[in-house]
Amino acid sequence: MGLGAKIAIAVAAAFAAVLAYYLFMPAFAPKNPTRVSVGDAVVAVEVANTPQSRAQGLSGRASLQEGTGLLFDFFAAGEYGIWMKNMRFSIDIVWANDTVVTVAHGISPSTYPQSFHPRAPARYVLELPAGYAAAHGIAEGGVFSVE
């Protein structure tokens, strides 16, 4: 095998390694817990900020503990839809920027394949246990901050 062929193989292998990293590593990246202040609550959240983690969401989980949630960070405001595919429990859904835009209460897994959308563009979507939003004063217009 000539030197040119060896170089071509080495370049192809390096390209394949870089491609594999960018395709598969975000799915295995550690979850980055943070906190969200909203209503009269501070919620401990996992952050879904990659296409893989957003697609997975809470699907397949048995439950969501009180005082915890999943925060979708889309990095830019949009009318992001949420559905209940493969969900096993009901949730409240909060769309927000620096204030709460829309709250959907007690969304059941039986609503799938219907999707739910905010009334106005929002950067964040926060999924909470069903009933949590009402119990903690989370309402449209309320202050929302990611810590």
Side-chain angles (χ1 to χ4, degrees):
M1 182 180 302
L3 181 59
K6 289 180 183 178
I7 291 173
I9 291 171
V11 168
F15 177 78
V18 170
L19 180 63
Y21 174 81
Y22 283 105
L23 287 177
F24 299 109
M25 286 310 293
F28 300 108
K31 295 179 173 124
N32 46 352
T34 189
R35 298 182 316 167
V36 170
S37 293
V38 59
D40 64 10
V42 176
V43 181
V45 297
E46 292 178 27
V47 178
N49 58 9
T50 66
Q52 294 87 352
S53 62
R54 289 186 204 120
Q56 178 64 37
L58 294 171
S59 295
R61 294 194 193 188
S63 65
L64 189 58
Q65 291 183 332
E66 187 74 11
T68 66
L70 180 65
L71 179 69
F72 294 77
D73 184 351
F74 290 98
F75 301 105
E79 294 183 9
Y80 304 106
I82 299 295
W83 63 3
M84 299 296 285
K85 184 175 183 180
N86 297 323
M87 288 290 294
R88 298 167 60 188
F89 56 95
S90 297
I91 59 173
D92 292 342
I93 307 170
V94 178
W95 287 265
N97 295 302
D98 56 350
T99 60
V100 174
V101 172
T102 304
V103 181
H105 297 275
I107 305 303
S108 167
S110 67
T111 61
Y112 178 76
Q114 179 183 358
S115 61
F116 299 85
H117 298 269
R119 292 188 167 111
R123 172 182 172 171
Y124 301 106
V125 178
L126 176 61
E127 296 182 340
L128 299 164
Y132 192 88
H136 293 277
I138 299 170
E140 293 178 13
V143 175
F144 186 96
S145 67
V146 178
E147 302 170 9

